[in-house]
Amino acid sequence: MFKHIVRIADTDLDGNKPVMIALTGIKGIGLRMAKAITSALGLNPRAKLGELDDETIERLRKLVEEELEQHIPSWMFNRRKDPYSGKDLHLLAKDVDFAKMLDIERMIKIKCYRGVRHARGYKVRGQRTRSTGRKGMTVGVVRRRK
């Protein structure tokens, strides 16, 4: 039976898409990680996600949600040497946003350069701020009268 929506890692995935492309709908999984997951399970990456049988979908769900660290090499993870636990982790869905928020809060708290820039709402990664990145009611450049 064809499934139009498959739920994996608290995310609804489109069953009409190929398995590899559908897995990229989960935040924290890109094309390379999706290819690694399909090859770890021995699935055809071009098969439609909705056409897989229930047992295969359950294996896929279990691997993505619970066993990712055992089947995928640690150099592919998106959070290596986590500052809080010291482990290599791969975060998915809401955990990605939560970890990013905690990292920014930590930078603000220790008052590092990036933390100060985040706190003031300025650009953080070295972009120019003289002419761009303005917020509010700025209309244009104020010039002196002659």
Side-chain angles (χ1 to χ4, degrees):
M1 188 172 99
F2 188 81
K3 296 168 201 64
H4 291 281
I5 294 176
V6 178
R7 190 155 179 88
I8 297 176
D10 297 331
T11 308
D12 292 334
L13 302 178
D14 188 2
N16 295 316
K17 293 183 178 178
V19 175
M20 197 169 91
I21 303 300
L23 283 175
T24 61
I26 301 171
K27 189 164 189 157
I29 295 182
L31 277 172
R32 289 185 67 177
M33 182 58 77
K35 183 153 177 62
I37 289 169
T38 55
S39 65
L41 285 175
L43 297 175
N44 178 12
R46 291 185 177 85
K48 301 272 188 209
L49 182 64
E51 292 175 353
L52 298 177
D53 59 334
D54 292 334
E55 179 186 322
T56 309
I57 290 175
E58 191 56 42
R59 281 180 34 223
L60 182 64
R61 179 182 294 116
K62 189 173 182 184
L63 184 123
V64 169
E65 293 176 0
E66 299 166 14
E67 302 172 350
L68 202 62
E69 279 84 10
Q70 288 90 19
H71 294 280
I72 306 296
S74 64
W75 56 266
M76 289 188 79
F77 295 165
N78 61 6
R79 188 152 180 95
R80 298 184 59 196
K81 292 189 180 176
D82 180 53
Y84 302 106
S85 66
K87 297 179 182 174
D88 293 337
L89 304 173
H90 192 82
L91 303 178
L92 300 173
K94 298 171 286 210
D95 297 336
V96 175
D97 297 327
F98 187 67
K100 183 179 176 184
M101 184 189 71
L102 286 179
D103 291 342
I104 291 171
E105 284 178 6
R106 190 180 83 244
M107 286 189 280
I108 291 171
K109 193 168 116 182
I110 65 174
K111 290 188 168 59
C112 68
Y113 179 79
R114 284 181 67 189
V116 171
R117 303 288 291 186
H118 273 294
R120 291 186 180 175
Y122 295 155
K123 301 212 173 189
V124 176
R125 298 190 176 184
Q127 298 96 324
R128 64 183 353 239
T129 55
R130 179 175 177 176
S131 58
T132 63
R134 299 180 185 178
K135 296 184 181 110
M137 293 293 292
T138 307
V139 176
V141 179
V142 177
R143 294 188 178 177
R144 278 190 306 155
R145 278 192 175 177
K146 291 185 180 183

